[in-house]
Amino acid sequence: MTKQDQLMEFCVQDIIERIVKEHNIDYDEAMNLFYSSQTFTKLNDIETGLYLESSDYVYTLFQDELYFGEIIQTEI
C-alpha cells in the first residue's frame, strides 16, 4: 500500500464515521453514500491532490455535495 493509499484510507474512515454520527445512519448506509459521491471520486484521483487535505476539509466538500448536488469550493 502506497502512502497515498494510506492517506486516502484514513480520510475515508474518518469521513464515514462522521457521516454515521452526524446523520444518524448505519455504517453500511454511510459507506454507500460516501462511496457513490463525487467527493469520493475526486479523493481517489491522485491528480486532484485532495488526499493531502484534512478529513474535515474533505467532509465539508461532501456536505456541500449533499446539500447543493455538487461540490462547492469557496476560496478565501
Side-chain angles (χ1 to χ4, degrees), residues 37-62:
S37 71
Q38 291 175 355
T39 307
F40 178 73
T41 300
K42 291 193 181 297
L43 180 63
N44 279 292
D45 182 355
I46 300 295
E47 300 278 324
T48 67
L50 193 56
Y51 70 94
L52 296 170
E53 299 292 343
S54 71
S55 58
D56 288 338
Y57 177 78
V58 177
Y59 183 76
T60 300
L61 294 177
F62 174 70

Side-chain angles (χ1 to χ4, degrees), residues 2-31:
T2 67
K3 185 172 184 166
Q4 290 91 352
D5 291 336
Q6 288 177 323
L7 290 171
M8 282 186 263
E9 184 62 29
F10 292 140
C11 185
V12 168
Q13 288 174 357
D14 288 347
I15 291 168
I16 290 174
E17 287 177 17
R18 194 162 170 188
I19 294 169
V20 167
K21 289 177 186 174
E22 291 188 12
H23 293 271
N24 198 28
I25 59 177
D26 65 35
Y27 201 80
D28 288 338
E29 189 176 348
M31 286 177 22

